[in-house]
Amino acid sequence: MSMTLSIIGAAGRMGLRLVALAKAGGMLEITSALERPGHPALGRDVGELAGIGLLNLSVQERWDAPPRVAIDFSSPLGTRNALDLCVKNRVPLVIGTTGLRDEDHRLIDQAAGKIAVLQAPNMSLGVNLLFKIAAQVAATLGEDYDIEIVEAHHRFKKDAPSGTAMGLADAILSATGRGREALVYDRHGEDCPRQPGQIGMHALRLGDEVGRHTAYFATLGERLELTHAATNRDTLVRGALKAAVWLSDKPAGRYGMSDVLGWS
């Protein structure tokens, strides 16, 4: 029997692919597709929007009945509302929304005291392996190697640097015992040479680029580059659906993709 699923932010790029791949996969039954009040997709059939034919399921502002698990790919404000909704109904929640701030993470921590919450800046297997490898490389090479992180996304992306770039930075910072004060964003000026221990963060916005992330490790005489390139969003969607199935029976707590993949 299929597990019931609610998609929050269902009419967005990621939301529509979640609809299409969840339907194709068969393990999850979409019982609600939510969007913010006033969204132009409200009332329309979500299957038609996703290009897979009518599902007889319209985009709504709220649930008719709580699902077994929910996936949120909306906005920081949408995520806050999703947390409230899921806590009130004791529904496990997978969060793929990026651009979250410290206050959002505090709210996630609070919610995780009552429900299972899985939040990740990127849900692809390859990206999460990149996090793990980059952390190992940074710890192994040590302070003699300069570290720079460059990410590229499509022209419509709102947040910068991307959540994935920040996740990559956090993995390196944790492995090397540094805090976010070591991060330097888009250097400019007449006198800004690299300082010891800094990690440079750079964001490119290019046409329809799905997502490319590179961590550079360089010293005098050599350079190592670790790159992940996404060619479409489906790898992220499959990861989110896998996370939703995994999370559905977990106790309250905060989880990440490393838990899903058995790396914790």
Side-chain angles (χ1 to χ4, degrees):
M1 184 175 180
S2 298
M3 184 184 305
T4 57
L5 168 69
S6 176
I7 299 174
I8 301 170
R13 291 184 182 89
M14 289 296 294
L16 294 176
R17 291 308 296 158
L18 282 164
V19 171
L21 294 189
K23 179 64 176 176
M27 289 188 67
L28 293 160
E29 177 188 358
I30 306 168
T31 54
S32 60
L34 305 189
E35 269 296 349
R36 68 179 187 275
H39 194 283
L42 289 174
R44 294 189 60 186
D45 188 277
V46 72
E48 185 178 35
L49 290 171
I52 60 172
L54 292 173
L55 293 181
N56 295 317
L57 181 67
S58 61
V59 179
Q60 301 173 310
E61 294 182 19
R62 59 185 64 85
W63 296 328
D64 292 329
R68 183 67 189 85
V69 65
I71 301 177
D72 167 55
F73 272 94
S74 56
S75 66
L77 177 58
T79 295
R80 292 167 212 147
N81 293 333
L83 285 167
D84 287 340
L85 185 63
C86 288
V87 167
K88 288 176 182 176
N89 291 276
R90 294 296 190 266
V91 173
L93 177 63
V94 173
I95 301 173
T97 299
T98 60
L100 302 178
R101 300 183 178 182
D102 290 344
E103 177 59 26
D104 297 311
H105 287 286
R106 284 192 288 271
L107 293 173
I108 293 172
D109 288 337
Q110 292 173 12
K114 300 177 180 178
I115 61 171
V117 183
L118 188 150
Q119 184 270 329
N122 191 302
M123 298 197 181
S124 84
L125 173 60
V127 161
N128 282 278
L129 186 57
L130 174 64
F131 290 171
K132 187 175 184 179
I133 294 172
Q136 292 173 341
V137 169
T140 301
L141 294 180
E143 297 180 359
D144 287 341
Y145 281 73
D146 304 328
I147 303 173
E148 301 280 312
I149 295 173
V150 179
E151 58 97 342
H153 283 86
H154 54 86
R155 65 174 63 169
F156 304 107
K157 186 168 179 59
K158 294 181 180 179
D159 57 310
S162 69
T164 302
M166 293 305 298
L168 181 55
D170 285 338
I172 292 170
L173 292 171
S174 178
T176 57
R178 283 177 273 185
R180 281 194 173 183
E181 65 275 5
L183 303 182
V184 176
Y185 301 90
D186 301 321
R187 298 181 189 87
H188 65 279
E190 297 180 357
D191 187 18
C192 53
R194 163 176 279 280
Q195 300 300 315
Q198 288 183 343
I199 297 177
M201 303 289 292
H202 312 279
L204 310 180
R205 295 295 174 261
L206 303 168
D208 59 357
E209 176 71 60
V210 174
R212 178 181 292 268
H213 296 84
T214 299
Y216 294 87
F217 302 85
T219 191
L220 302 179
E222 69 174 6
R223 181 174 71 247
L224 174 65
E225 302 176 11
L226 301 177
T227 296
H228 178 274
T231 55
N232 62 53
R233 294 179 178 83
D234 286 1
T235 183
L236 311 177
V237 171
R238 292 189 182 96
L241 293 172
K242 180 175 182 177
V245 172
W246 182 89
L247 191 69
S248 62
D249 63 354
K250 295 298 179 290
R254 184 163 184 173
Y255 302 93
M257 284 302 292
S258 60
D259 298 300
V260 179
L261 298 169
W263 294 344
S264 295

